[in-house]
Amino acid sequence: MDDSTSANRRFWNQLSGAYQDRHDARIGAAPRLWGMYAIPDDELNALGDVAGKRVLELGCGAGQWARSLAAEGASVVGLDLSEAQLAAAAGAMGTDRYSLVQGAAERLPFADGGFDLVFCDHGGLSWAPPDQAVPEVARVLRSGGRLVFNVTSPWFEACYDEEAERVTTTFQRDYFGMNTIAEGDGAISYQLTYGDWIRVLRGAGLVIDDLIEPRPGAGSLNGFNKTDPPDWAHHWPSEMIWVTHKP
Ligand SMILES: C[S@@+](CC[C@H](N)C(=O)[O-])C[C@H]1O[C@@H](n2cnc3c(N)ncnc32)[C@H](O)[C@@H]1O
């Protein structure tokens, strides 16, 4: 395990309790809620039918998504780097059981071609180097299988004012060269440009079917970050959901 992976594991182990106290109720308020604004998948139509499918969630956290999909009849594996997050998922598992595996998105402990769908919502593709994690996903997908994932948009990140601890309407850093965001104590998240995402996905042999830019309603508030104005994401894209498949 390299330094940043170890640091990310420590970061999430330390954060897990407080993060779940603050966010679990919102993330898990209903099945299939995407991202910082808890937008229902019914509105975005990103994931599709999962009944009977072999599904891998990369960075499943406390399993709010995984348990929803297990309840819909998918055979789900929730992978996460953090044992504290996996313990939270185990504690919240419902009657529809699913598998939990500790591991890193950049080195998946699975055989080739075993999954029909790999997905995450601010999970492994935000917290593992995409140039390593995306080829791993392509490897474990069967032909025709899909990768669907939600990450923070570069607009949102470029407008984040560290000092004011909020997203503003002023660019605070360059769009080009963000690449990694320091999260404290050596932990790192990843922030690619649109072009870099296209290259890393196509480079792994995946076909891009859609890029969904969720637009919350004017009154919807961000559950994780302060923004100025409060309805920032009604005006500019805060997240992007990439929809791809392996030919
Ligand atoms: C923001 S949470 C996403 C989970 C859930 N969707 C949520 O919104 O809470 C990020 C998750 O990614 C996990 N993670 C971080 N680095 C990872 C890696 N390299 N491979 C797999 N999971 C990782 C963390 O432990 C954490 O549980």
Side-chain angles (χ1 to χ4, degrees):
M1 201 178 276
D2 67 27
D3 287 355
S4 65
T5 311
S6 301
N8 283 6
R9 180 176 160 199
R10 278 196 305 277
F11 177 87
W12 277 101
N13 279 340
Q14 280 164 12
L15 185 61
S16 178
Y19 180 90
Q20 298 307 336
D21 285 350
R22 190 172 309 159
H23 300 298
D24 173 63
R26 181 180 167 102
I27 300 170
R32 292 187 179 224
L33 298 177
W34 284 109
M36 297 187 279
Y37 293 84
I39 299 181
D41 190 50
D42 276 356
E43 286 176 30
L44 301 176
N45 294 314
L47 218 55
D49 182 16
V50 298
K53 296 205 169 129
R54 298 160 300 169
V55 176
L56 170 62
E57 181 172 6
L58 286 183
C60 63
Q64 296 93 346
W65 267 98
R67 67 172 180 262
S68 300
L69 302 190
E72 292 178 34
S75 169
V76 180
V77 177
L79 174 117
D80 205 284
L81 189 60
S82 153
E83 54 270 30
Q85 290 283 76
L86 289 167
M93 195 172 295
T95 46
D96 300 291
R97 314 297 291 176
Y98 62 92
S99 306
L100 290 169
V101 174
Q102 186 167 22
E106 57 270 48
R107 275 184 303 280
L108 292 175
F110 306 113
D112 297 0
F115 291 99
D116 302 302
L117 171 68
V118 178
F119 82 102
C120 58
D121 189 6
H122 294 280
L125 290 178
S126 302
W127 292 90
D131 63 337
Q132 294 173 36
V134 171
E136 275 293 88
V137 171
R139 181 181 67 73
V140 303
L141 277 176
R142 68 158 168 88
S143 177
R146 302 168 78 224
L147 166 65
V148 179
F149 63 99
N150 187 21
V151 292
T152 304
S153 86
W155 290 66
F156 194 85
E157 204 69 66
C159 291
Y160 188 77
D161 183 337
E162 296 282 351
E163 219 167 279
E165 296 184 341
R166 65 192 55 224
V167 180
T168 68
T169 51
T170 310
F171 287 125
Q172 306 289 333
R173 65 179 94 189
D174 288 357
Y175 167 81
F176 293 111
M178 278 193 275
N179 299 326
T180 56
I181 307 288
E183 302 282 356
D185 296 329
I188 282 172
S189 64
Y190 293 82
Q191 182 61 64
L192 271 54
T193 64
Y194 290 93
D196 283 345
W197 273 120
I198 290 168
R199 277 181 287 280
V200 84
L201 291 164
R202 287 171 52 93
L206 299 174
V207 175
I208 297 168
D209 298 311
D210 201 358
L211 173 58
I212 299 171
E213 297 172 291
R215 187 185 189 196
S220 312
L221 296 182
N222 188 308
F224 294 79
N225 296 287
K226 293 199 175 90
T227 67
D228 185 8
D231 65 348
W232 192 98
H234 187 65
H235 303 279
W236 300 281
S238 60
E239 298 173 292
M240 45 187 184
I241 301 178
W242 292 90
V243 180
T244 74
H245 76 273
K246 178 173 171 174

